[in-house]
Amino acid sequence: MTFLDTAKALLEASLQPSPTVIFAGLAIVVLVPILLHFILVAATPYSTLPSVLLVGPSGAGKTALLTLFERGPLATHTQQQQHKDEKQRQLNNTAVALTHTSQAPATVELSVSDDGASSFRDDLDAAGSAHKKFLLVDTPGHAKLRRHALARIQGTTATTAAAVTTTTSSSSSDSSSKSKVKAVVFVVDAAALADGDALPETAGYLYEVLLSLQKRMGAGKGSRAPASVPVLVAANKLDLFTALPAALVRSNLEAELGRIRRTRSRGLLDSGVGADEDVAAAGAAGDESDNWLGEYGSDKFSFKQMLEFDIEVDVVGGNVIGEGPGADRWWRWIAERI
């Protein structure tokens, strides 16, 4: 039998409606796409972009800062006009909100030059400059929604580069894939910190953020510690007359963080009353050391104590809208750490 005869016989057999032919056809239809999928996945170099978290209490200016970095000064020109209108309405005892309160995280993709010398105003793609991409993630500041920021810091949720969209569309979903958090920008309202109510709330949220980072550094598996995550306290709204300077924002926050630390320590010790003395003492001491921010047992708190846990904390003043130092120093701080 020649080769042609053999091929003809096989072709005729394949066209016969037998169970063997049917099963072989189904196997080819099902297995070939699966095999191609694994081959393409293995051959495609997927990469996860680093991310920078914007956290802070509601009304501090996180969403406005995200919009500024995403769209540049063209977006802030309208905001500045709205800012002037707001001041005029305040003179008329009419309050107006410039931004909405975020209900879910919003993510945008940004780029910085490789040398870190670019500005958020520069179009690096148009200039043909070498640059790195990163994700800027705006998290809600409401007390009931702060779990989004704390979960990302602890590494339980994050955002992928493939799922990046604009601020309006990305706020409705949160990808489960992991993204590496490179830095945290904690935005505070420097004009509101002089208020007796705003300072405790702001410092309380900052305490949770710093404590989460501290526990993260101590919870690394194996001999290698997790990569350090620096923190920038962005003292916003320095264009306002009532705003505190960055140095005073730093000292007020450190003093309030120390007060919160002492209050929580006393609460943990008081919670052991009525139990077995030895068990209560051991449990209270363990909980206190785990939830003690900074140098354990120190009288006063300072941001320098966080260096013991490889956490750098900087306080830099600026403003998103209005006349003042602007947001350039914040952008350079981020660029140096991407």
Side-chain angles (χ1 to χ4, degrees), residues 214 250 254 261 292-311 313:
Q214 178 177 309
R250 182 187 186 99
E254 287 178 335
R261 188 172 66 177
W292 184 278
L293 183 66
E295 181 184 352
Y296 182 70
S298 59
D299 294 332
K300 295 182 178 180
F301 174 81
S302 68
F303 288 129
K304 292 182 178 179
Q305 295 179 10
M306 301 307 298
L307 292 175
E308 179 181 349
F309 304 94
D310 200 19
I311 301 172
V313 182

Side-chain angles (χ1 to χ4, degrees), residues 36-247:
L36 289 176
H37 169 75
F38 283 108
I39 293 175
L40 292 176
V41 168
T44 304
Y46 289 104
S47 60
T48 302
L49 295 181
S51 62
V52 175
L53 298 185
L54 284 179
V55 299
S58 298
K62 301 185 300 297
T63 304
L65 181 59
L66 182 82
T67 304
L68 173 64
F69 284 165
E70 179 190 13
R71 303 178 186 176
L74 291 178
T76 59
H77 177 73
T78 302
Q79 289 180 337
Q80 289 175 355
Q81 185 61 41
Q82 291 175 334
H83 192 57
K84 294 178 182 178
D85 295 341
E86 180 197 22
K87 290 182 178 180
Q88 185 62 39
R89 290 187 180 94
Q90 287 177 346
L91 293 176
N92 298 331
N93 295 324
T94 303
V96 61
L98 294 180
T99 57
H100 63 279
T101 301
S102 301
Q103 300 295 322
T107 305
V108 296
E109 183 180 300
L110 302 174
S111 299
V112 294
S113 62
D114 288 343
D115 56 7
S118 65
S119 170
F120 61 87
R121 302 176 180 86
D122 299 335
D123 189 347
L124 299 177
D125 289 324
S129 303
H131 56 275
K132 301 176 182 177
K133 295 183 180 295
F134 71 97
L135 306 179
L136 187 63
V137 184
D138 176 23
T139 58
H142 192 277
K144 294 183 178 180
L145 300 174
R146 293 173 184 174
R147 65 184 185 277
H148 294 290
L150 298 177
R152 289 173 181 268
I153 290 174
Q154 295 166 0
T156 56
T157 62
T159 310
T160 61
V164 174
T165 54
T166 60
T167 15
T168 55
S169 61
S170 64
S171 59
S172 61
S173 62
D174 192 14
S175 174
S176 60
S177 301
K178 291 193 174 181
S179 175
K180 186 177 182 181
V181 177
K182 296 286 288 186
V184 173
V185 178
F186 191 92
V187 184
V188 302
D189 185 347
L193 287 185
D195 186 0
D197 296 331
L199 180 59
E201 179 188 359
T202 302
Y205 188 13
L206 181 57
Y207 191 100
E208 295 295 336
V209 170
L210 293 177
L211 187 62
S212 296
L213 290 172
Q214 178 177 309
K215 291 181 177 181
R216 171 185 171 275
M217 294 301 296
K221 298 179 180 180
S223 58
R224 296 184 60 183
S228 61
V229 177
V231 178
L232 170 65
V233 178
N236 190 24
K237 304 186 182 181
L238 290 191
D239 58 304
L240 300 180
F241 178 76
T242 56
L244 301 178

